[in-house]
Amino acid sequence: GTDYLGVTGRIRNNSKKNINAAKVNVVFYDKNGDQVWEDSDIGSIRPGRTWKFRIDALDYEVTSYDLELK
């Protein structure tokens, strides 16, 4: 198997509106704080529903990450 750092999460739409383009962007860093990987996932969420996402960094040097929701 391949080692990797994965970020999983859930985003719930508590509004009464459809969210047609929710985007989660994750930037992964090595132990020195240098960016080594970046990836994102785009989904849509109906009112009252939850969107589950997983973003993986296929890099052995990854030690931390920043997550942004757009």
Side-chain angles (χ1 to χ4, degrees):
T2 303
D3 290 336
Y4 59 85
L5 174 71
V7 177
T8 60
R10 296 174 185 210
I11 299 170
R12 181 165 175 80
N13 182 355
N14 291 325
S15 75
K16 295 184 179 189
K17 298 180 182 179
N18 278 330
I19 299 174
N20 295 322
K23 180 179 180 183
V24 175
N25 190 61
V26 179
V27 179
F28 296 92
Y29 302 95
D30 66 11
K31 64 182 179 181
N32 297 320
D34 296 323
Q35 180 179 334
V36 293
W37 190 271
E38 182 174 0
D39 203 355
S40 60
D41 196 1
I42 298 174
S44 61
I45 317 167
R46 295 184 309 220
R49 302 291 293 220
T50 300
W51 172 44
K52 298 175 186 177
F53 66 89
R54 179 174 180 94
I55 301 173
D56 297 326
L58 300 175
D59 190 312
Y60 294 100
E61 302 298 319
V62 170
T63 59
S64 64
Y65 65 89
D66 286 328
L67 184 139
E68 179 181 34
L69 174 64
K70 295 181 180 184

Coordinates of all heavy atoms in Angstrom, one line a residue:
G1 N 0.8 -1.2 0.0 CA 0.0 0.0 0.0 C 0.8 1.2 0.0 O 2.0 1.2 0.4
T2 N 0.2 2.3 -0.4 CA 0.9 3.6 -0.4 C 0.5 4.4 0.8 O -0.7 4.5 1.2 CB 0.4 4.4 -1.7 OG1 0.8 3.6 -2.8 CG2 1.1 5.7 -1.8
D3 N 1.5 5.0 1.5 CA 1.2 5.9 2.6 C 0.7 7.2 2.1 O 1.2 7.7 1.1 CB 2.4 6.0 3.5 CG 2.8 4.8 4.2 OD1 2.0 3.9 4.4 OD2 4.0 4.7 4.5
Y4 N -0.2 7.8 2.8 CA -0.7 9.1 2.5 C -1.3 9.8 3.6 O -1.7 9.1 4.6 CB -1.6 9.1 1.3 CG -2.8 8.2 1.5 CD1 -4.0 8.8 2.2 CD2 -2.9 6.9 1.1 CE1 -5.1 8.0 2.4 CE2 -4.0 6.1 1.4 CZ -5.1 6.7 2.0 OH -6.2 5.9 2.2
L5 N -1.4 11.1 3.6 CA -2.2 11.8 4.6 C -3.5 12.2 3.9 O -3.5 12.8 2.8 CB -1.5 13.1 5.0 CG -2.2 14.1 5.9 CD1 -2.3 13.4 7.3 CD2 -1.5 15.4 6.0
G6 N -4.6 11.9 4.5 CA -5.9 12.2 4.0 C -6.7 13.1 4.9 O -6.6 13.0 6.1
V7 N -7.5 14.0 4.3 CA -8.3 14.9 5.1 C -9.7 14.5 4.7 O -10.1 14.5 3.6 CB -8.0 16.4 4.7 CG1 -9.0 17.3 5.4 CG2 -6.6 16.7 4.9
T8 N -10.5 14.2 5.8 CA -11.9 13.9 5.6 C -12.8 14.9 6.3 O -12.3 15.4 7.4 CB -12.3 12.5 6.0 OG1 -12.0 12.3 7.4 CG2 -11.5 11.4 5.3
G9 N -14.0 15.1 5.9 CA -14.8 16.0 6.6 C -16.3 15.9 6.1 O -16.6 15.2 5.1
R10 N -17.1 16.7 6.7 CA -18.5 16.7 6.4 C -18.9 18.2 6.4 O -18.6 18.9 7.4 CB -19.4 16.0 7.4 CG -19.1 14.5 7.4 CD -19.9 13.8 8.5 NE -19.5 12.4 8.6 CZ -20.3 11.5 8.9 NH1 -21.6 11.8 9.3 NH2 -19.9 10.3 9.0
I11 N -19.7 18.6 5.5 CA -20.3 19.9 5.4 C -21.8 19.8 5.3 O -22.3 19.1 4.5 CB -19.7 20.7 4.2 CG1 -18.2 20.8 4.3 CG2 -20.4 22.1 4.2 CD1 -17.6 21.4 3.1
R12 N -22.5 20.4 6.3 CA -23.9 20.3 6.3 C -24.5 21.7 5.8 O -24.1 22.7 6.2 CB -24.4 20.0 7.7 CG -25.9 19.9 7.8 CD -26.3 19.2 9.1 NE -27.8 19.2 9.2 CZ -28.6 18.3 8.6 NH1 -28.1 17.4 7.9 NH2 -29.9 18.4 8.8
N13 N -25.5 21.5 5.0 CA -26.3 22.7 4.5 C -27.5 22.9 5.4 O -28.5 22.2 5.3 CB -26.7 22.5 3.0 CG -27.4 23.7 2.4 OD1 -27.7 24.6 3.1 ND2 -27.8 23.6 1.2
N14 N -27.4 23.9 6.3 CA -28.5 24.2 7.2 C -29.4 25.3 6.6 O -30.3 25.6 7.3 CB -27.9 24.7 8.5 CG -27.2 23.5 9.3 OD1 -27.6 22.4 9.2 ND2 -26.1 23.9 10.0
S15 N -29.2 25.7 5.4 CA -30.0 26.7 4.8 C -31.2 26.0 4.1 O -31.3 24.8 4.0 CB -29.2 27.6 3.9 OG -28.9 26.9 2.7
K16 N -32.0 26.8 3.5 CA -33.1 26.3 2.6 C -32.8 26.4 1.2 O -33.6 26.2 0.3 CB -34.4 27.1 2.9 CG -34.9 26.8 4.4 CD -36.2 27.5 4.6 CE -36.6 27.2 6.1 NZ -38.0 27.6 6.3
K17 N -31.5 26.8 0.8 CA -31.1 26.9 -0.5 C -30.2 25.8 -1.0 O -29.4 25.2 -0.2 CB -30.3 28.2 -0.7 CG -31.1 29.5 -0.4 CD -30.3 30.7 -0.6 CE -31.1 31.9 -0.2 NZ -30.3 33.2 -0.4
N18 N -30.2 25.4 -2.2 CA -29.3 24.5 -2.8 C -27.9 25.1 -2.9 O -27.8 26.3 -3.4 CB -29.7 24.0 -4.2 CG -30.7 22.9 -4.1 OD1 -30.8 22.1 -3.2 ND2 -31.6 22.9 -5.1
I19 N -26.9 24.5 -2.6 CA -25.5 24.9 -2.8 C -25.0 24.1 -3.9 O -24.7 22.9 -3.8 CB -24.7 24.8 -1.5 CG1 -25.3 25.6 -0.4 CG2 -23.2 25.2 -1.8 CD1 -24.6 25.5 0.9
N20 N -24.9 24.7 -5.1 CA -24.6 24.0 -6.3 C -23.1 23.8 -6.5 O -22.6 23.0 -7.3 CB -25.2 24.7 -7.5 CG -26.7 24.6 -7.5 OD1 -27.3 23.6 -7.1 ND2 -27.3 25.7 -7.9
A21 N -22.2 24.6 -5.9 CA -20.8 24.5 -6.1 C -20.0 24.8 -4.8 O -19.4 25.8 -4.7 CB -20.4 25.5 -7.2
A22 N -20.1 23.9 -3.9 CA -19.3 24.0 -2.7 C -17.9 23.5 -3.0 O -17.8 22.4 -3.6 CB -19.9 23.2 -1.5
K23 N -16.8 24.2 -2.6 CA -15.5 23.8 -2.9 C -14.6 23.7 -1.7 O -14.6 24.7 -0.9 CB -14.8 24.7 -4.0 CG -13.4 24.3 -4.3 CD -12.8 25.2 -5.3 CE -11.4 24.8 -5.7 NZ -10.7 25.7 -6.6
V24 N -14.0 22.6 -1.5 CA -13.0 22.5 -0.4 C -11.6 22.4 -1.0 O -11.4 21.5 -1.8 CB -13.3 21.2 0.5 CG1 -12.2 21.0 1.5 CG2 -14.7 21.3 1.1
N25 N -10.8 23.3 -0.6 CA -9.4 23.3 -1.1 C -8.4 23.0 0.1 O -8.6 23.5 1.2 CB -9.0 24.6 -1.7 CG -7.7 24.6 -2.4 OD1 -7.6 23.9 -3.4 ND2 -6.8 25.4 -2.0
V26 N -7.5 22.0 -0.1 CA -6.6 21.7 0.9 C -5.1 21.8 0.4 O -4.8 21.4 -0.7 CB -6.8 20.2 1.4 CG1 -5.8 19.8 2.5 CG2 -8.2 20.0 1.9
V27 N -4.3 22.5 1.2 CA -2.9 22.7 0.8 C -2.1 21.9 1.9 O -2.3 22.1 3.1 CB -2.5 24.2 0.9 CG1 -1.0 24.4 0.5 CG2 -3.4 25.0 -0.1
F28 N -1.3 21.0 1.4 CA -0.5 20.2 2.3 C 1.0 20.7 2.3 O 1.5 21.2 1.3 CB -0.4 18.8 1.7 CG -1.8 18.1 1.7 CD1 -2.6 18.2 0.6 CD2 -2.2 17.4 2.8 CE1 -3.8 17.5 0.6 CE2 -3.5 16.8 2.9 CZ -4.3 16.9 1.7
Y29 N 1.6 20.6 3.5 CA 2.9 21.1 3.8 C 3.9 20.0 4.3 O 3.4 19.1 5.0 CB 2.9 22.2 4.8 CG 2.0 23.4 4.3 CD1 0.7 23.4 4.8 CD2 2.5 24.4 3.5 CE1 -0.1 24.5 4.4 CE2 1.6 25.4 3.1 CZ 0.3 25.5 3.5 OH -0.5 26.5 3.1
D30 N 5.2 20.2 4.1 CA 6.1 19.3 4.7 C 6.6 19.8 6.0 O 6.1 20.8 6.5 CB 7.3 19.0 3.7 CG 8.2 20.3 3.5 OD1 8.0 21.3 4.2 OD2 9.0 20.3 2.6
K31 N 7.5 19.1 6.6 CA 8.0 19.5 8.0 C 8.6 20.9 8.1 O 8.7 21.5 9.1 CB 8.9 18.4 8.6 CG 10.2 18.3 7.8 CD 11.1 17.2 8.4 CE 12.4 17.1 7.6 NZ 13.2 16.0 8.1
N32 N 9.1 21.4 6.9 CA 9.7 22.7 6.9 C 8.7 23.8 6.6 O 9.1 25.0 6.5 CB 10.8 22.8 5.8 CG 11.9 21.8 6.1 OD1 12.3 21.7 7.3 ND2 12.4 21.1 5.1
G33 N 7.4 23.4 6.4 CA 6.4 24.4 6.1 C 6.3 24.8 4.6 O 5.6 25.7 4.2
D34 N 7.0 24.0 3.8 CA 6.9 24.2 2.3 C 5.7 23.5 1.8 O 5.5 22.3 2.1 CB 8.2 23.8 1.6 CG 9.4 24.6 2.1 OD1 9.2 25.8 2.3 OD2 10.5 24.0 2.2
Q35 N 5.0 24.1 0.8 CA 3.9 23.4 0.2 C 4.4 22.3 -0.7 O 5.3 22.5 -1.5 CB 3.1 24.4 -0.6 CG 1.9 23.8 -1.3 CD 1.1 24.8 -2.1 OE1 1.1 26.0 -1.8 NE2 0.4 24.3 -3.1
V36 N 3.8 21.1 -0.6 CA 4.2 20.0 -1.4 C 3.1 19.4 -2.2 O 3.3 18.6 -3.1 CB 4.9 18.9 -0.5 CG1 6.2 19.3 0.1 CG2 3.9 18.4 0.6
W37 N 1.8 19.7 -1.9 CA 0.7 19.2 -2.6 C -0.5 20.1 -2.4 O -0.7 20.7 -1.3 CB 0.4 17.8 -2.1 CG -0.6 17.0 -2.9 CD1 -2.0 17.0 -2.7 CD2 -0.3 16.1 -3.9 NE1 -2.5 16.1 -3.6 CE2 -1.6 15.6 -4.4 CE3 0.8 15.7 -4.6 CZ2 -1.7 14.7 -5.4 CZ3 0.7 14.8 -5.6 CH2 -0.5 14.3 -6.0
E38 N -1.4 20.2 -3.4 CA -2.6 20.9 -3.2 C -3.7 20.2 -4.0 O -3.4 19.7 -5.1 CB -2.5 22.3 -3.8 CG -3.7 23.1 -3.6 CD -3.6 24.6 -4.0 OE1 -2.4 25.0 -4.4 OE2 -4.5 25.4 -3.9
D39 N -4.9 20.1 -3.5 CA -6.0 19.4 -4.2 C -7.3 19.9 -3.6 O -7.4 20.6 -2.6 CB -5.9 17.9 -3.9 CG -6.6 17.1 -5.0 OD1 -7.3 17.7 -5.9 OD2 -6.6 15.8 -4.9
S40 N -8.4 19.7 -4.4 CA -9.7 20.2 -4.0 C -10.7 19.2 -4.4 O -10.5 18.3 -5.2 CB -9.9 21.6 -4.6 OG -9.9 21.5 -6.0
D41 N -11.9 19.5 -3.9 CA -13.1 18.7 -4.2 C -14.3 19.6 -4.3 O -14.4 20.6 -3.6 CB -13.3 17.6 -3.1 CG -14.3 16.5 -3.6 OD1 -14.7 16.5 -4.7 OD2 -14.6 15.6 -2.8
I42 N -15.1 19.4 -5.3 CA -16.3 20.2 -5.5 C -17.5 19.4 -5.4 O -17.6 18.3 -6.0 CB -16.2 20.9 -6.9 CG1 -15.0 21.8 -7.0 CG2 -17.5 21.7 -7.2 CD1 -14.8 22.4 -8.3
G43 N -18.5 19.8 -4.7 CA -19.8 19.1 -4.6 C -21.0 20.0 -4.5 O -20.8 21.2 -4.4
S44 N -22.1 19.5 -4.5 CA -23.3 20.2 -4.3 C -24.1 19.6 -3.1 O -24.0 18.5 -2.8 CB -24.2 20.2 -5.5 OG -24.6 18.9 -5.8
I45 N -24.8 20.5 -2.4 CA -25.5 20.1 -1.2 C -26.9 20.6 -1.2 O -27.1 21.8 -1.2 CB -24.7 20.6 0.1 CG1 -23.2 20.5 0.0 CG2 -25.2 19.9 1.3 CD1 -22.5 21.2 1.0
R46 N -27.8 19.7 -1.1 CA -29.2 20.1 -1.0 C -29.5 20.6 0.5 O -28.8 20.2 1.4 CB -30.2 18.9 -1.3 CG -30.0 18.5 -2.8 CD -31.0 17.5 -3.1 NE -30.9 16.4 -2.2 CZ -31.0 15.1 -2.5 NH1 -31.2 14.7 -3.7 NH2 -30.9 14.2 -1.5
P47 N -30.6 21.3 0.7 CA -30.9 21.8 2.0 C -31.1 20.6 3.0 O -31.7 19.6 2.6 CB -32.3 22.5 1.8 CG -32.2 23.0 0.3 CD -31.5 21.9 -0.4
G48 N -30.6 20.8 4.2 CA -30.7 19.8 5.2 C -29.8 18.5 5.0 O -29.9 17.6 5.8
R49 N -29.0 18.5 4.0 CA -28.2 17.3 3.7 C -26.7 17.6 4.0 O -26.3 18.7 4.2 CB -28.3 17.0 2.2 CG -29.7 16.7 1.7 CD -30.2 15.4 2.2 NE -29.5 14.3 1.7 CZ -30.0 13.2 1.3 NH1 -31.2 13.0 1.4 NH2 -29.2 12.3 0.8
T50 N -25.9 16.5 4.1 CA -24.5 16.6 4.4 C -23.7 16.1 3.2 O -24.0 15.1 2.6 CB -24.2 15.8 5.7 OG1 -25.0 16.3 6.7 CG2 -22.7 15.8 6.0
W51 N -22.6 16.8 2.9 CA -21.7 16.4 1.9 C -20.4 15.9 2.6 O -19.8 16.6 3.4 CB -21.4 17.6 1.0 CG -20.3 17.3 0.0 CD1 -20.1 16.2 -0.8 CD2 -19.2 18.2 -0.4 NE1 -19.0 16.4 -1.6 CE2 -18.4 17.6 -1.3 CE3 -18.9 19.5 0.1 CZ2 -17.3 18.2 -1.9 CZ3 -17.8 20.1 -0.5 CH2 -17.0 19.5 -1.5
K52 N -20.1 14.6 2.3 CA -18.9 14.1 2.8 C -17.8 14.1 1.8 O -18.0 13.9 0.6 CB -19.1 12.6 3.2 CG -20.2 12.4 4.3 CD -20.4 10.9 4.5 CE -21.6 10.7 5.4 NZ -21.9 9.3 5.6
F53 N -16.6 14.5 2.2 CA -15.5 14.6 1.3 C -14.2 14.0 1.8 O -14.1 13.8 3.0 CB -15.2 16.1 0.9 CG -14.7 16.9 2.0 CD1 -13.3 17.0 2.3 CD2 -15.6 17.6 2.8 CE1 -12.8 17.8 3.3 CE2 -15.1 18.4 3.9 CZ -13.7 18.5 4.1
R54 N -13.3 13.6 0.9 CA -12.0 13.1 1.3 C -11.0 13.6 0.3 O -11.2 13.4 -0.9 CB -11.9 11.6 1.4 CG -10.6 11.1 1.8 CD -10.5 9.6 2.0 NE -9.1 9.3 2.3 CZ -8.6 9.1 3.5 NH1 -9.5 9.3 4.6 NH2 -7.4 8.8 3.8
I55 N -9.9 14.2 0.7 CA -8.9 14.7 -0.1 C -7.5 14.1 0.4 O -7.2 14.2 1.5 CB -8.8 16.2 -0.1 CG1 -10.1 16.8 -0.6 CG2 -7.6 16.7 -1.0 CD1 -10.2 18.3 -0.5
D56 N -6.8 13.4 -0.5 CA -5.6 12.7 -0.1 C -4.4 13.4 -0.8 O -4.5 13.9 -1.9 CB -5.6 11.3 -0.6 CG -6.7 10.5 0.0 OD1 -7.0 10.7 1.2 OD2 -7.2 9.6 -0.6
A57 N -3.3 13.4 0.0 CA -2.0 13.9 -0.5 C -1.1 12.6 -0.7 O -0.8 12.0 0.3 CB -1.4 14.9 0.4
L58 N -0.8 12.3 -1.9 CA 0.1 11.1 -2.2 C 1.5 11.5 -2.1 O 2.2 11.5 -3.1 CB -0.3 10.5 -3.5 CG -1.8 10.1 -3.6 CD1 -2.1 9.6 -5.0 CD2 -2.0 9.0 -2.6
D59 N 2.0 12.0 -1.0 CA 3.3 12.5 -0.8 C 3.8 12.1 0.6 O 3.1 12.4 1.6 CB 3.4 14.0 -1.0 CG 4.8 14.5 -1.0 OD1 5.6 14.1 -0.2 OD2 5.1 15.3 -1.9
Y60 N 4.9 11.4 0.7 CA 5.4 10.9 2.0 C 5.9 12.0 2.9 O 6.0 11.8 4.1 CB 6.5 9.9 1.8 CG 6.1 8.6 1.1 CD1 6.3 8.5 -0.3 CD2 5.5 7.6 1.8 CE1 5.9 7.3 -0.9 CE2 5.1 6.5 1.2 CZ 5.3 6.3 -0.2 OH 4.9 5.2 -0.8
E61 N 6.1 13.2 2.4 CA 6.7 14.2 3.2 C 5.7 15.1 3.9 O 6.0 16.0 4.6 CB 7.6 15.1 2.3 CG 8.7 14.4 1.6 CD 9.7 13.8 2.6 OE1 10.0 14.4 3.6 OE2 10.1 12.6 2.4
V62 N 4.4 14.9 3.6 CA 3.3 15.8 4.2 C 3.2 15.6 5.7 O 3.2 14.4 6.2 CB 2.0 15.4 3.5 CG1 0.8 16.1 4.2 CG2 2.0 15.8 2.0
T63 N 3.2 16.7 6.4 CA 3.0 16.6 7.8 C 1.9 17.5 8.4 O 1.5 17.3 9.5 CB 4.3 17.1 8.5 OG1 4.7 18.4 8.1 CG2 5.5 16.1 8.2
S64 N 1.4 18.4 7.5 CA 0.3 19.3 8.0 C -0.5 19.8 6.8 O -0.1 19.6 5.6 CB 0.9 20.5 8.8 OG 1.7 21.3 8.0
Y65 N -1.6 20.5 7.1 CA -2.4 21.0 6.0 C -3.2 22.2 6.4 O -3.4 22.5 7.6 CB -3.3 19.9 5.4 CG -4.4 19.5 6.4 CD1 -5.6 20.1 6.5 CD2 -4.1 18.4 7.3 CE1 -6.5 19.7 7.4 CE2 -5.1 18.0 8.2 CZ -6.3 18.7 8.3 OH -7.2 18.3 9.2
D66 N -3.7 23.0 5.4 CA -4.6 24.1 5.6 C -5.9 23.7 4.8 O -5.7 23.3 3.7 CB -4.1 25.4 5.2 CG -3.1 26.0 6.2 OD1 -3.2 25.7 7.4 OD2 -2.2 26.7 5.7
L67 N -7.0 24.0 5.3 CA -8.3 23.7 4.6 C -9.1 25.0 4.4 O -9.1 25.8 5.3 CB -9.1 22.7 5.4 CG -10.4 22.2 4.8 CD1 -10.5 20.7 5.0 CD2 -11.6 23.0 5.3
E68 N -9.6 25.2 3.2 CA -10.4 26.4 2.9 C -11.7 25.9 2.2 O -11.7 25.1 1.3 CB -9.6 27.3 2.0 CG -10.4 28.5 1.6 CD -9.6 29.4 0.7 OE1 -8.9 28.9 -0.1 OE2 -9.8 30.7 0.8
L69 N -12.8 26.5 2.7 CA -14.1 26.2 2.1 C -14.5 27.5 1.3 O -14.5 28.6 1.8 CB -15.2 25.9 3.1 CG -16.6 25.7 2.7 CD1 -16.7 24.5 1.7 CD2 -17.5 25.6 3.8
K70 N -14.9 27.3 0.0 CA -15.3 28.4 -0.8 C -16.8 28.2 -1.2 O -17.2 27.1 -1.4 CB -14.5 28.5 -2.0 CG -13.1 28.8 -1.7 CD -12.3 29.0 -3.0 CE -10.8 29.3 -2.7 NZ -10.0 29.5 -3.9

